[in-house]
PDB file of all heavy atoms in Angstrom:
ATOM      1  N   ASP A 286      21.030 -14.176 -23.892  1.00 75.00           N
ATOM      2  CA  ASP A 286      22.208 -15.016 -24.097  1.00 75.00           C
ATOM      3  C   ASP A 286      23.323 -14.457 -23.222  1.00 75.00           C
ATOM      4  O   ASP A 286      24.035 -13.529 -23.612  1.00 75.00           O
ATOM      5  CB  ASP A 286      22.606 -14.997 -25.574  1.00 75.00           C
ATOM      6  CG  ASP A 286      23.771 -15.930 -25.863  1.00 75.00           C
ATOM      7  OD1 ASP A 286      24.072 -16.775 -24.998  1.00 75.00           O
ATOM      8  OD2 ASP A 286      24.380 -15.808 -26.946  1.00 75.00           O
ATOM      9  N   LEU A 287      23.443 -15.007 -22.031  1.00 71.00           N
ATOM     10  CA  LEU A 287      24.386 -14.470 -21.053  1.00 71.00           C
ATOM     11  C   LEU A 287      25.726 -15.188 -21.136  1.00 71.00           C
ATOM     12  O   LEU A 287      25.781 -16.414 -21.231  1.00 71.00           O
ATOM     13  CB  LEU A 287      23.826 -14.623 -19.635  1.00 71.00           C
ATOM     14  CG  LEU A 287      22.496 -13.914 -19.355  1.00 71.00           C
ATOM     15  CD1 LEU A 287      22.034 -14.226 -17.940  1.00 71.00           C
ATOM     16  CD2 LEU A 287      22.635 -12.414 -19.539  1.00 71.00           C
ATOM     17  N   SER A 288      26.771 -14.418 -21.118  1.00 69.00           N
ATOM     18  CA  SER A 288      28.102 -15.011 -21.036  1.00 69.00           C
ATOM     19  C   SER A 288      28.502 -15.059 -19.562  1.00 69.00           C
ATOM     20  O   SER A 288      28.241 -14.123 -18.804  1.00 69.00           O
ATOM     21  CB  SER A 288      29.114 -14.170 -21.824  1.00 69.00           C
ATOM     22  OG  SER A 288      29.115 -12.834 -21.357  1.00 69.00           O
ATOM     23  N   ARG A 289      29.104 -16.147 -19.176  1.00 67.00           N
ATOM     24  CA  ARG A 289      29.470 -16.328 -17.773  1.00 67.00           C
ATOM     25  C   ARG A 289      30.542 -15.322 -17.381  1.00 67.00           C
ATOM     26  O   ARG A 289      31.571 -15.195 -18.044  1.00 67.00           O
ATOM     27  CB  ARG A 289      29.980 -17.749 -17.543  1.00 67.00           C
ATOM     28  CG  ARG A 289      30.219 -18.080 -16.082  1.00 67.00           C
ATOM     29  CD  ARG A 289      30.676 -19.522 -15.932  1.00 67.00           C
ATOM     30  NE  ARG A 289      30.888 -19.877 -14.550  1.00 67.00           N
ATOM     31  CZ  ARG A 289      29.944 -20.302 -13.725  1.00 67.00           C
ATOM     32  NH1 ARG A 289      28.707 -20.414 -14.173  1.00 67.00           N
ATOM     33  NH2 ARG A 289      30.208 -20.616 -12.474  1.00 67.00           N
ATOM     34  N   ARG A 290      30.285 -14.581 -16.318  1.00 65.00           N
ATOM     35  CA  ARG A 290      31.263 -13.611 -15.844  1.00 65.00           C
ATOM     36  C   ARG A 290      32.442 -14.361 -15.238  1.00 65.00           C
ATOM     37  O   ARG A 290      32.267 -15.266 -14.420  1.00 65.00           O
ATOM     38  CB  ARG A 290      30.618 -12.709 -14.793  1.00 65.00           C
ATOM     39  CG  ARG A 290      31.506 -11.565 -14.337  1.00 65.00           C
ATOM     40  CD  ARG A 290      30.878 -10.838 -13.168  1.00 65.00           C
ATOM     41  NE  ARG A 290      29.704 -10.103 -13.559  1.00 65.00           N
ATOM     42  CZ  ARG A 290      28.730  -9.777 -12.714  1.00 65.00           C
ATOM     43  NH1 ARG A 290      28.784 -10.166 -11.460  1.00 65.00           N
ATOM     44  NH2 ARG A 290      27.688  -9.089 -13.133  1.00 65.00           N
ATOM     45  N   ASN A 291      33.641 -14.003 -15.670  1.00 73.00           N
ATOM     46  CA  ASN A 291      34.816 -14.742 -15.209  1.00 73.00           C
ATOM     47  C   ASN A 291      35.424 -14.152 -13.943  1.00 73.00           C
ATOM     48  O   ASN A 291      36.537 -14.495 -13.569  1.00 73.00           O
ATOM     49  CB  ASN A 291      35.879 -14.805 -16.311  1.00 73.00           C
ATOM     50  CG  ASN A 291      36.288 -13.417 -16.781  1.00 73.00           C
ATOM     51  OD1 ASN A 291      35.857 -12.416 -16.226  1.00 73.00           O
ATOM     52  ND2 ASN A 291      37.115 -13.369 -17.810  1.00 73.00           N
ATOM     53  N   VAL A 292      34.698 -13.271 -13.314  1.00 80.00           N
ATOM     54  CA  VAL A 292      35.148 -12.735 -12.034  1.00 80.00           C
ATOM     55  C   VAL A 292      33.914 -12.510 -11.162  1.00 80.00           C
ATOM     56  O   VAL A 292      32.861 -12.096 -11.647  1.00 80.00           O
ATOM     57  CB  VAL A 292      35.932 -11.413 -12.227  1.00 80.00           C
ATOM     58  CG1 VAL A 292      35.065 -10.346 -12.856  1.00 80.00           C
ATOM     59  CG2 VAL A 292      36.503 -10.928 -10.905  1.00 80.00           C
ATOM     60  N   ARG A 293      34.044 -12.810  -9.890  1.00 84.00           N
ATOM     61  CA  ARG A 293      32.923 -12.664  -8.965  1.00 84.00           C
ATOM     62  C   ARG A 293      32.991 -11.303  -8.288  1.00 84.00           C
ATOM     63  O   ARG A 293      34.021 -10.941  -7.716  1.00 84.00           O
ATOM     64  CB  ARG A 293      32.972 -13.773  -7.911  1.00 84.00           C
ATOM     65  CG  ARG A 293      31.837 -13.709  -6.907  1.00 84.00           C
ATOM     66  CD  ARG A 293      32.021 -14.758  -5.828  1.00 84.00           C
ATOM     67  NE  ARG A 293      30.944 -14.715  -4.852  1.00 84.00           N
ATOM     68  CZ  ARG A 293      30.923 -15.418  -3.727  1.00 84.00           C
ATOM     69  NH1 ARG A 293      31.944 -16.224  -3.448  1.00 84.00           N
ATOM     70  NH2 ARG A 293      29.911 -15.327  -2.894  1.00 84.00           N
ATOM     71  N   LEU A 294      31.901 -10.562  -8.353  1.00 89.00           N
ATOM     72  CA  LEU A 294      31.867  -9.258  -7.693  1.00 89.00           C
ATOM     73  C   LEU A 294      31.648  -9.452  -6.198  1.00 89.00           C
ATOM     74  O   LEU A 294      30.797 -10.236  -5.782  1.00 89.00           O
ATOM     75  CB  LEU A 294      30.747  -8.396  -8.278  1.00 89.00           C
ATOM     76  CG  LEU A 294      30.928  -7.973  -9.738  1.00 89.00           C
ATOM     77  CD1 LEU A 294      29.742  -7.141 -10.198  1.00 89.00           C
ATOM     78  CD2 LEU A 294      32.214  -7.192  -9.923  1.00 89.00           C
ATOM     79  N   PRO A 295      32.399  -8.736  -5.381  1.00 90.00           N
ATOM     80  CA  PRO A 295      32.291  -8.919  -3.924  1.00 90.00           C
ATOM     81  C   PRO A 295      31.077  -8.195  -3.346  1.00 90.00           C
ATOM     82  O   PRO A 295      30.803  -7.048  -3.691  1.00 90.00           O
ATOM     83  CB  PRO A 295      33.586  -8.293  -3.407  1.00 90.00           C
ATOM     84  CG  PRO A 295      33.899  -7.221  -4.407  1.00 90.00           C
ATOM     85  CD  PRO A 295      33.432  -7.750  -5.739  1.00 90.00           C
ATOM     86  N   LYS A 296      30.369  -8.862  -2.450  1.00 91.00           N
ATOM     87  CA  LYS A 296      29.236  -8.236  -1.770  1.00 91.00           C
ATOM     88  C   LYS A 296      29.656  -7.607  -0.443  1.00 91.00           C
ATOM     89  O   LYS A 296      29.051  -6.636   0.001  1.00 91.00           O
ATOM     90  CB  LYS A 296      28.131  -9.264  -1.526  1.00 91.00           C
ATOM     91  CG  LYS A 296      27.518  -9.813  -2.806  1.00 91.00           C
ATOM     92  CD  LYS A 296      26.436 -10.832  -2.497  1.00 91.00           C
ATOM     93  CE  LYS A 296      25.825 -11.387  -3.780  1.00 91.00           C
ATOM     94  NZ  LYS A 296      24.774 -12.404  -3.503  1.00 91.00           N
ATOM     95  N   LYS A 297      30.702  -8.197   0.183  1.00 92.00           N
ATOM     96  CA  LYS A 297      31.156  -7.683   1.479  1.00 92.00           C
ATOM     97  C   LYS A 297      32.650  -7.371   1.503  1.00 92.00           C
ATOM     98  O   LYS A 297      33.069  -6.412   2.140  1.00 92.00           O
ATOM     99  CB  LYS A 297      30.827  -8.690   2.586  1.00 92.00           C
ATOM    100  CG  LYS A 297      29.335  -8.886   2.811  1.00 92.00           C
ATOM    101  CD  LYS A 297      29.086  -9.851   3.967  1.00 92.00           C
ATOM    102  CE  LYS A 297      27.587 -10.019   4.214  1.00 92.00           C
ATOM    103  NZ  LYS A 297      27.311 -10.951   5.332  1.00 92.00           N
ATOM    104  N   ASP A 298      33.440  -8.216   0.816  1.00 91.00           N
ATOM    105  CA  ASP A 298      34.887  -8.015   0.865  1.00 91.00           C
ATOM    106  C   ASP A 298      35.533  -8.595  -0.386  1.00 91.00           C
ATOM    107  O   ASP A 298      35.310  -9.758  -0.734  1.00 91.00           O
ATOM    108  CB  ASP A 298      35.476  -8.682   2.110  1.00 91.00           C
ATOM    109  CG  ASP A 298      36.979  -8.480   2.208  1.00 91.00           C
ATOM    110  OD1 ASP A 298      37.406  -7.348   2.484  1.00 91.00           O
ATOM    111  OD2 ASP A 298      37.715  -9.461   1.974  1.00 91.00           O
ATOM    112  N   PHE A 299      36.322  -7.779  -1.055  1.00 90.00           N
ATOM    113  CA  PHE A 299      36.980  -8.192  -2.295  1.00 90.00           C
ATOM    114  C   PHE A 299      37.915  -9.372  -2.075  1.00 90.00           C
ATOM    115  O   PHE A 299      37.930 -10.329  -2.851  1.00 90.00           O
ATOM    116  CB  PHE A 299      37.761  -7.001  -2.861  1.00 90.00           C
ATOM    117  CG  PHE A 299      38.723  -7.355  -3.961  1.00 90.00           C
ATOM    118  CD1 PHE A 299      38.281  -7.596  -5.248  1.00 90.00           C
ATOM    119  CD2 PHE A 299      40.092  -7.448  -3.702  1.00 90.00           C
ATOM    120  CE1 PHE A 299      39.176  -7.923  -6.267  1.00 90.00           C
ATOM    121  CE2 PHE A 299      40.988  -7.768  -4.706  1.00 90.00           C
ATOM    122  CZ  PHE A 299      40.526  -8.010  -5.991  1.00 90.00           C
ATOM    123  N   PHE A 300      38.679  -9.337  -1.005  1.00 89.00           N
ATOM    124  CA  PHE A 300      39.729 -10.333  -0.807  1.00 89.00           C
ATOM    125  C   PHE A 300      39.159 -11.708  -0.475  1.00 89.00           C
ATOM    126  O   PHE A 300      39.632 -12.725  -0.975  1.00 89.00           O
ATOM    127  CB  PHE A 300      40.694  -9.852   0.282  1.00 89.00           C
ATOM    128  CG  PHE A 300      41.311  -8.529  -0.046  1.00 89.00           C
ATOM    129  CD1 PHE A 300      40.814  -7.353   0.494  1.00 89.00           C
ATOM    130  CD2 PHE A 300      42.370  -8.451  -0.940  1.00 89.00           C
ATOM    131  CE1 PHE A 300      41.366  -6.129   0.167  1.00 89.00           C
ATOM    132  CE2 PHE A 300      42.925  -7.227  -1.273  1.00 89.00           C
ATOM    133  CZ  PHE A 300      42.423  -6.064  -0.722  1.00 89.00           C
ATOM    134  N   ASN A 301      38.131 -11.743   0.343  1.00 90.00           N
ATOM    135  CA  ASN A 301      37.571 -13.033   0.755  1.00 90.00           C
ATOM    136  C   ASN A 301      36.558 -13.598  -0.230  1.00 90.00           C
ATOM    137  O   ASN A 301      36.276 -14.799  -0.201  1.00 90.00           O
ATOM    138  CB  ASN A 301      36.912 -12.896   2.136  1.00 90.00           C
ATOM    139  CG  ASN A 301      37.943 -12.721   3.233  1.00 90.00           C
ATOM    140  OD1 ASN A 301      38.934 -13.445   3.284  1.00 90.00           O
ATOM    141  ND2 ASN A 301      37.729 -11.742   4.100  1.00 90.00           N
ATOM    142  N   GLN A 302      36.008 -12.746  -1.101  1.00 88.00           N
ATOM    143  CA  GLN A 302      34.950 -13.218  -1.991  1.00 88.00           C
ATOM    144  C   GLN A 302      35.350 -13.242  -3.461  1.00 88.00           C
ATOM    145  O   GLN A 302      34.754 -13.988  -4.241  1.00 88.00           O
ATOM    146  CB  GLN A 302      33.700 -12.337  -1.818  1.00 88.00           C
ATOM    147  CG  GLN A 302      33.072 -12.462  -0.435  1.00 88.00           C
ATOM    148  CD  GLN A 302      31.830 -11.598  -0.290  1.00 88.00           C
ATOM    149  OE1 GLN A 302      31.811 -10.445  -0.715  1.00 88.00           O
ATOM    150  NE2 GLN A 302      30.792 -12.157   0.304  1.00 88.00           N
ATOM    151  N   THR A 303      36.318 -12.448  -3.855  1.00 89.00           N
ATOM    152  CA  THR A 303      36.690 -12.379  -5.274  1.00 89.00           C
ATOM    153  C   THR A 303      37.998 -13.115  -5.562  1.00 89.00           C
ATOM    154  O   THR A 303      38.148 -13.737  -6.609  1.00 89.00           O
ATOM    155  CB  THR A 303      36.803 -10.909  -5.723  1.00 89.00           C
ATOM    156  OG1 THR A 303      35.558 -10.254  -5.478  1.00 89.00           O
ATOM    157  CG2 THR A 303      37.125 -10.814  -7.210  1.00 89.00           C
ATOM    158  N   LEU A 304      38.934 -13.029  -4.635  1.00 89.00           N
ATOM    159  CA  LEU A 304      40.198 -13.748  -4.830  1.00 89.00           C
ATOM    160  C   LEU A 304      39.972 -15.238  -4.596  1.00 89.00           C
ATOM    161  O   LEU A 304      39.446 -15.640  -3.554  1.00 89.00           O
ATOM    162  CB  LEU A 304      41.268 -13.217  -3.871  1.00 89.00           C
ATOM    163  CG  LEU A 304      41.660 -11.745  -4.048  1.00 89.00           C
ATOM    164  CD1 LEU A 304      42.829 -11.411  -3.132  1.00 89.00           C
ATOM    165  CD2 LEU A 304      42.007 -11.427  -5.494  1.00 89.00           C
ATOM    166  N   TRP A 305      40.365 -16.034  -5.560  1.00 85.00           N
ATOM    167  CA  TRP A 305      40.185 -17.486  -5.499  1.00 85.00           C
ATOM    168  C   TRP A 305      41.518 -18.105  -5.074  1.00 85.00           C
ATOM    169  O   TRP A 305      42.525 -18.004  -5.787  1.00 85.00           O
ATOM    170  CB  TRP A 305      39.755 -18.004  -6.868  1.00 85.00           C
ATOM    171  CG  TRP A 305      39.271 -19.416  -6.878  1.00 85.00           C
ATOM    172  CD1 TRP A 305      38.618 -20.066  -5.885  1.00 85.00           C
ATOM    173  CD2 TRP A 305      39.408 -20.345  -7.953  1.00 85.00           C
ATOM    174  NE1 TRP A 305      38.314 -21.351  -6.258  1.00 85.00           N
ATOM    175  CE2 TRP A 305      38.790 -21.552  -7.534  1.00 85.00           C
ATOM    176  CE3 TRP A 305      39.967 -20.289  -9.220  1.00 85.00           C
ATOM    177  CZ2 TRP A 305      38.735 -22.683  -8.333  1.00 85.00           C
ATOM    178  CZ3 TRP A 305      39.906 -21.412 -10.022  1.00 85.00           C
ATOM    179  CH2 TRP A 305      39.293 -22.591  -9.588  1.00 85.00           C
TER     180      TRP A 305
END
Side-chain angles (χ1 to χ4, degrees):
D286 184 15
L287 300 177
S288 56
R289 187 178 181 85
R290 186 188 291 156
N291 57 5
V292 62
R293 180 185 180 188
L294 294 179
K296 296 180 180 179
K297 294 183 179 180
D298 181 71
F299 167 78
F300 302 99
N301 289 314
Q302 294 181 317
T303 302
L304 297 186
W305 192 32

